[in-house]
Amino acid sequence: MEILSLQNARVKGWAQLQEKKHRDKQNKYLIEGIHLVQEALLSGADIECIAYDYEQGIPFELRDLPDHSGVEWIGVTRAIIAKVSHTTTPQPVFAVVRKEKIAWSQLDRNKLVVVLDGLQDPGNVGTIIRSADASGAGGVILGKGCADLYNPKTLRSTMGSLFHLPVVEGDLTDILPQAREMGARLVTTSLDGQTTAFHYDFTGSCWIVIGSEGSGVSPEVAALVDDAIIIPMPGKAESLNAAMAASILMFEALRQREYSGC
């Protein structure tokens, strides 16, 4: 199938997915580039269609990947790709993916869970999802005020990790009390923490709460946290960004859980 007109109704619908209100309305989002489309295909994401530059044909990297029943492959013009893309130099392929609703109760509570409270920078949100994937975490929860999971910048920063582990959006004041009742221990970082991150026990059902870049964990969420710890910084840097701090904690948890005997 080919679509060659910029005025095509489907093209207009795809272009609208650059905006959150339309992503919410259509319950879909758009991913750009060969790598993200590869990851979506390999992970069995609910892909509606894959559009590619009809002059170049389907990218070589995608030709031998497992196809999904019901996925449309559509040849389009470069002008259409440019209209739909969020980048100034778009790659020759994009896909429209249906959102997957995941409940927090589906998370593996025997694994580490990362909770984001009001984290507004899409690059930080995406990087934390990528680090959570790399460190073997059980999932990531995005509370209110976080950057939109399906923002193009967030998606690019995940580098495909969005498709590798559960990512849940929800109200932390509702989720966290229930998680505590089910045995989860909530920990966050604080300059007033009395225990260092390298002496804290991250084993068992442990959830790491990461606050916003500017103001940290909100008072409502802080009231639910069990423990506050500090990352030692003997150098002269005043602070770490949220993604770096979260990554340090996740990999310390991995060390304790999998490599404590090394």
PDB file of all heavy atoms in Angstrom, residues 222-248:
ATOM      1  N   ALA A 222       6.492  12.151  49.964  1.00  0.00           N
ATOM      2  CA  ALA A 222       7.512  12.036  51.013  1.00  0.00           C
ATOM      3  C   ALA A 222       6.920  11.463  52.295  1.00  0.00           C
ATOM      4  O   ALA A 222       7.594  10.722  53.030  1.00  0.00           O
ATOM      5  CB  ALA A 222       8.135  13.397  51.283  1.00  0.00           C
ATOM      6  N   ALA A 223       5.652  11.788  52.574  1.00  0.00           N
ATOM      7  CA  ALA A 223       4.992  11.296  53.788  1.00  0.00           C
ATOM      8  C   ALA A 223       4.786   9.780  53.748  1.00  0.00           C
ATOM      9  O   ALA A 223       4.564   9.159  54.788  1.00  0.00           O
ATOM     10  CB  ALA A 223       3.654  12.003  53.962  1.00  0.00           C
ATOM     11  N   LEU A 224       4.871   9.201  52.551  1.00  0.00           N
ATOM     12  CA  LEU A 224       4.655   7.764  52.405  1.00  0.00           C
ATOM     13  C   LEU A 224       5.954   6.961  52.375  1.00  0.00           C
ATOM     14  O   LEU A 224       5.934   5.742  52.471  1.00  0.00           O
ATOM     15  CB  LEU A 224       3.879   7.492  51.105  1.00  0.00           C
ATOM     16  CG  LEU A 224       2.497   8.150  50.990  1.00  0.00           C
ATOM     17  CD1 LEU A 224       1.957   7.987  49.570  1.00  0.00           C
ATOM     18  CD2 LEU A 224       1.543   7.542  52.001  1.00  0.00           C
ATOM     19  N   VAL A 225       7.084   7.664  52.263  1.00  0.00           N
ATOM     20  CA  VAL A 225       8.375   6.987  52.125  1.00  0.00           C
ATOM     21  C   VAL A 225       8.851   6.430  53.458  1.00  0.00           C
ATOM     22  O   VAL A 225       8.718   7.069  54.502  1.00  0.00           O
ATOM     23  CB  VAL A 225       9.417   7.963  51.537  1.00  0.00           C
ATOM     24  CG1 VAL A 225      10.813   7.377  51.599  1.00  0.00           C
ATOM     25  CG2 VAL A 225       9.052   8.305  50.090  1.00  0.00           C
ATOM     26  N   ASP A 226       9.432   5.241  53.424  1.00  0.00           N
ATOM     27  CA  ASP A 226       9.920   4.602  54.651  1.00  0.00           C
ATOM     28  C   ASP A 226      11.319   5.073  55.039  1.00  0.00           C
ATOM     29  O   ASP A 226      11.594   5.306  56.212  1.00  0.00           O
ATOM     30  CB  ASP A 226       9.956   3.071  54.455  1.00  0.00           C
ATOM     31  CG  ASP A 226       8.577   2.498  54.215  1.00  0.00           C
ATOM     32  OD1 ASP A 226       7.732   2.592  55.114  1.00  0.00           O
ATOM     33  OD2 ASP A 226       8.339   1.953  53.116  1.00  0.00           O
ATOM     34  N   ASP A 227      12.208   5.197  54.051  1.00  0.00           N
ATOM     35  CA  ASP A 227      13.612   5.493  54.347  1.00  0.00           C
ATOM     36  C   ASP A 227      14.154   6.565  53.412  1.00  0.00           C
ATOM     37  O   ASP A 227      13.771   6.639  52.235  1.00  0.00           O
ATOM     38  CB  ASP A 227      14.474   4.230  54.198  1.00  0.00           C
ATOM     39  CG  ASP A 227      14.036   3.121  55.140  1.00  0.00           C
ATOM     40  OD1 ASP A 227      13.921   3.398  56.352  1.00  0.00           O
ATOM     41  OD2 ASP A 227      13.802   2.001  54.655  1.00  0.00           O
ATOM     42  N   ALA A 228      15.065   7.391  53.938  1.00  0.00           N
ATOM     43  CA  ALA A 228      15.774   8.390  53.135  1.00  0.00           C
ATOM     44  C   ALA A 228      17.260   8.105  53.218  1.00  0.00           C
ATOM     45  O   ALA A 228      17.809   7.927  54.309  1.00  0.00           O
ATOM     46  CB  ALA A 228      15.467   9.795  53.642  1.00  0.00           C
ATOM     47  N   ILE A 229      17.907   8.049  52.061  1.00  0.00           N
ATOM     48  CA  ILE A 229      19.337   7.742  52.013  1.00  0.00           C
ATOM     49  C   ILE A 229      20.069   8.848  51.242  1.00  0.00           C
ATOM     50  O   ILE A 229      19.432   9.699  50.610  1.00  0.00           O
ATOM     51  CB  ILE A 229      19.595   6.381  51.333  1.00  0.00           C
ATOM     52  CG1 ILE A 229      19.043   6.388  49.894  1.00  0.00           C
ATOM     53  CG2 ILE A 229      18.982   5.259  52.145  1.00  0.00           C
ATOM     54  CD1 ILE A 229      19.319   5.115  49.126  1.00  0.00           C
ATOM     55  N   ILE A 230      21.382   8.824  51.295  1.00  0.00           N
ATOM     56  CA  ILE A 230      22.172   9.837  50.620  1.00  0.00           C
ATOM     57  C   ILE A 230      23.237   9.169  49.753  1.00  0.00           C
ATOM     58  O   ILE A 230      23.782   8.125  50.133  1.00  0.00           O
ATOM     59  CB  ILE A 230      22.820  10.802  51.643  1.00  0.00           C
ATOM     60  CG1 ILE A 230      23.492  11.984  50.933  1.00  0.00           C
ATOM     61  CG2 ILE A 230      23.814  10.068  52.542  1.00  0.00           C
ATOM     62  CD1 ILE A 230      23.894  13.100  51.873  1.00  0.00           C
ATOM     63  N   ILE A 231      23.471   9.743  48.589  1.00  0.00           N
ATOM     64  CA  ILE A 231      24.558   9.267  47.722  1.00  0.00           C
ATOM     65  C   ILE A 231      25.808  10.059  48.083  1.00  0.00           C
ATOM     66  O   ILE A 231      25.822  11.291  47.948  1.00  0.00           O
ATOM     67  CB  ILE A 231      24.210   9.470  46.234  1.00  0.00           C
ATOM     68  CG1 ILE A 231      22.966   8.659  45.861  1.00  0.00           C
ATOM     69  CG2 ILE A 231      25.402   9.080  45.355  1.00  0.00           C
ATOM     70  CD1 ILE A 231      22.480   8.910  44.442  1.00  0.00           C
ATOM     71  N   PRO A 232      26.856   9.416  48.559  1.00  0.00           N
ATOM     72  CA  PRO A 232      28.072  10.155  48.939  1.00  0.00           C
ATOM     73  C   PRO A 232      28.674  10.875  47.731  1.00  0.00           C
ATOM     74  O   PRO A 232      28.764  10.304  46.639  1.00  0.00           O
ATOM     75  CB  PRO A 232      29.009   9.056  49.441  1.00  0.00           C
ATOM     76  CG  PRO A 232      28.149   7.875  49.711  1.00  0.00           C
ATOM     77  CD  PRO A 232      27.007   7.964  48.769  1.00  0.00           C
ATOM     78  N   MET A 233      29.072  12.117  47.934  1.00  0.00           N
ATOM     79  CA  MET A 233      29.702  12.890  46.856  1.00  0.00           C
ATOM     80  C   MET A 233      30.924  13.614  47.421  1.00  0.00           C
ATOM     81  O   MET A 233      30.847  14.782  47.811  1.00  0.00           O
ATOM     82  CB  MET A 233      28.707  13.884  46.262  1.00  0.00           C
ATOM     83  CG  MET A 233      27.564  13.220  45.501  1.00  0.00           C
ATOM     84  SD  MET A 233      26.518  14.405  44.605  1.00  0.00           S
ATOM     85  CE  MET A 233      25.769  15.256  45.992  1.00  0.00           C
ATOM     86  N   PRO A 234      32.055  12.917  47.518  1.00  0.00           N
ATOM     87  CA  PRO A 234      33.248  13.532  48.098  1.00  0.00           C
ATOM     88  C   PRO A 234      33.897  14.596  47.211  1.00  0.00           C
ATOM     89  O   PRO A 234      34.752  15.348  47.672  1.00  0.00           O
ATOM     90  CB  PRO A 234      34.194  12.340  48.290  1.00  0.00           C
ATOM     91  CG  PRO A 234      33.743  11.339  47.283  1.00  0.00           C
ATOM     92  CD  PRO A 234      32.268  11.495  47.187  1.00  0.00           C
ATOM     93  N   GLY A 235      33.485  14.669  45.953  1.00  0.00           N
ATOM     94  CA  GLY A 235      34.028  15.687  45.058  1.00  0.00           C
ATOM     95  C   GLY A 235      33.354  17.031  45.263  1.00  0.00           C
ATOM     96  O   GLY A 235      32.636  17.251  46.242  1.00  0.00           O
ATOM     97  N   LYS A 236      33.563  17.952  44.337  1.00  0.00           N
ATOM     98  CA  LYS A 236      33.075  19.315  44.488  1.00  0.00           C
ATOM     99  C   LYS A 236      31.739  19.579  43.792  1.00  0.00           C
ATOM    100  O   LYS A 236      31.185  20.670  43.926  1.00  0.00           O
ATOM    101  CB  LYS A 236      34.126  20.299  43.972  1.00  0.00           C
ATOM    102  CG  LYS A 236      35.415  20.283  44.796  1.00  0.00           C
ATOM    103  CD  LYS A 236      36.415  21.305  44.283  1.00  0.00           C
ATOM    104  CE  LYS A 236      37.686  21.287  45.137  1.00  0.00           C
ATOM    105  NZ  LYS A 236      38.685  22.293  44.660  1.00  0.00           N
ATOM    106  N   ALA A 237      31.234  18.612  43.047  1.00  0.00           N
ATOM    107  CA  ALA A 237      29.933  18.790  42.401  1.00  0.00           C
ATOM    108  C   ALA A 237      28.848  18.928  43.462  1.00  0.00           C
ATOM    109  O   ALA A 237      28.844  18.192  44.463  1.00  0.00           O
ATOM    110  CB  ALA A 237      29.623  17.611  41.488  1.00  0.00           C
ATOM    111  N   GLU A 238      27.938  19.868  43.255  1.00  0.00           N
ATOM    112  CA  GLU A 238      26.893  20.107  44.249  1.00  0.00           C
ATOM    113  C   GLU A 238      25.800  19.052  44.215  1.00  0.00           C
ATOM    114  O   GLU A 238      25.186  18.748  45.239  1.00  0.00           O
ATOM    115  CB  GLU A 238      26.268  21.491  44.018  1.00  0.00           C
ATOM    116  CG  GLU A 238      27.216  22.646  44.325  1.00  0.00           C
ATOM    117  CD  GLU A 238      26.534  23.991  44.171  1.00  0.00           C
ATOM    118  OE1 GLU A 238      25.327  23.999  43.846  1.00  0.00           O
ATOM    119  OE2 GLU A 238      27.195  25.014  44.368  1.00  0.00           O
ATOM    120  N   SER A 239      25.536  18.508  43.034  1.00  0.00           N
ATOM    121  CA  SER A 239      24.418  17.568  42.928  1.00  0.00           C
ATOM    122  C   SER A 239      24.558  16.725  41.671  1.00  0.00           C
ATOM    123  O   SER A 239      25.418  16.981  40.815  1.00  0.00           O
ATOM    124  CB  SER A 239      23.088  18.322  42.893  1.00  0.00           C
ATOM    125  OG  SER A 239      23.027  19.155  41.744  1.00  0.00           O
ATOM    126  N   LEU A 240      23.711  15.715  41.571  1.00  0.00           N
ATOM    127  CA  LEU A 240      23.601  14.869  40.387  1.00  0.00           C
ATOM    128  C   LEU A 240      22.223  15.084  39.778  1.00  0.00           C
ATOM    129  O   LEU A 240      21.265  15.361  40.500  1.00  0.00           O
ATOM    130  CB  LEU A 240      23.753  13.391  40.763  1.00  0.00           C
ATOM    131  CG  LEU A 240      25.054  12.982  41.442  1.00  0.00           C
ATOM    132  CD1 LEU A 240      24.934  11.543  41.936  1.00  0.00           C
ATOM    133  CD2 LEU A 240      26.222  13.118  40.482  1.00  0.00           C
ATOM    134  N   ASN A 241      22.103  14.936  38.465  1.00  0.00           N
ATOM    135  CA  ASN A 241      20.746  15.038  37.922  1.00  0.00           C
ATOM    136  C   ASN A 241      19.964  13.773  38.275  1.00  0.00           C
ATOM    137  O   ASN A 241      20.514  12.765  38.714  1.00  0.00           O
ATOM    138  CB  ASN A 241      20.747  15.348  36.423  1.00  0.00           C
ATOM    139  CG  ASN A 241      21.143  14.177  35.545  1.00  0.00           C
ATOM    140  OD1 ASN A 241      21.090  13.021  35.936  1.00  0.00           O
ATOM    141  ND2 ASN A 241      21.548  14.487  34.328  1.00  0.00           N
ATOM    142  N   ALA A 242      18.661  13.851  38.080  1.00  0.00           N
ATOM    143  CA  ALA A 242      17.779  12.779  38.543  1.00  0.00           C
ATOM    144  C   ALA A 242      18.108  11.443  37.895  1.00  0.00           C
ATOM    145  O   ALA A 242      18.098  10.393  38.556  1.00  0.00           O
ATOM    146  CB  ALA A 242      16.326  13.165  38.272  1.00  0.00           C
ATOM    147  N   ALA A 243      18.401  11.461  36.599  1.00  0.00           N
ATOM    148  CA  ALA A 243      18.674  10.210  35.897  1.00  0.00           C
ATOM    149  C   ALA A 243      19.963   9.565  36.399  1.00  0.00           C
ATOM    150  O   ALA A 243      20.040   8.345  36.577  1.00  0.00           O
ATOM    151  CB  ALA A 243      18.749  10.458  34.393  1.00  0.00           C
ATOM    152  N   MET A 244      20.985  10.386  36.661  1.00  0.00           N
ATOM    153  CA  MET A 244      22.250   9.841  37.144  1.00  0.00           C
ATOM    154  C   MET A 244      22.091   9.263  38.554  1.00  0.00           C
ATOM    155  O   MET A 244      22.586   8.169  38.853  1.00  0.00           O
ATOM    156  CB  MET A 244      23.329  10.928  37.136  1.00  0.00           C
ATOM    157  CG  MET A 244      24.725  10.423  37.434  1.00  0.00           C
ATOM    158  SD  MET A 244      25.969  11.721  37.292  1.00  0.00           S
ATOM    159  CE  MET A 244      25.883  12.067  35.536  1.00  0.00           C
ATOM    160  N   ALA A 245      21.390   9.995  39.417  1.00  0.00           N
ATOM    161  CA  ALA A 245      21.177   9.510  40.780  1.00  0.00           C
ATOM    162  C   ALA A 245      20.390   8.206  40.776  1.00  0.00           C
ATOM    163  O   ALA A 245      20.733   7.246  41.488  1.00  0.00           O
ATOM    164  CB  ALA A 245      20.446  10.573  41.603  1.00  0.00           C
ATOM    165  N   ALA A 246      19.327   8.164  39.966  1.00  0.00           N
ATOM    166  CA  ALA A 246      18.518   6.945  39.895  1.00  0.00           C
ATOM    167  C   ALA A 246      19.341   5.773  39.387  1.00  0.00           C
ATOM    168  O   ALA A 246      19.227   4.646  39.898  1.00  0.00           O
ATOM    169  CB  ALA A 246      17.310   7.185  38.990  1.00  0.00           C
ATOM    170  N   SER A 247      20.194   6.019  38.402  1.00  0.00           N
ATOM    171  CA  SER A 247      21.006   4.937  37.838  1.00  0.00           C
ATOM    172  C   SER A 247      21.986   4.384  38.864  1.00  0.00           C
ATOM    173  O   SER A 247      22.202   3.164  38.948  1.00  0.00           O
ATOM    174  CB  SER A 247      21.764   5.440  36.602  1.00  0.00           C
ATOM    175  OG  SER A 247      20.863   5.822  35.584  1.00  0.00           O
ATOM    176  N   ILE A 248      22.581   5.265  39.649  1.00  0.00           N
ATOM    177  CA  ILE A 248      23.500   4.809  40.699  1.00  0.00           C
ATOM    178  C   ILE A 248      22.775   3.874  41.670  1.00  0.00           C
ATOM    179  O   ILE A 248      23.280   2.798  42.031  1.00  0.00           O
ATOM    180  CB  ILE A 248      24.092   6.011  41.454  1.00  0.00           C
ATOM    181  CG1 ILE A 248      25.085   6.754  40.551  1.00  0.00           C
ATOM    182  CG2 ILE A 248      24.777   5.572  42.753  1.00  0.00           C
ATOM    183  CD1 ILE A 248      25.562   8.073  41.113  1.00  0.00           C
TER     184      ILE A 248
END
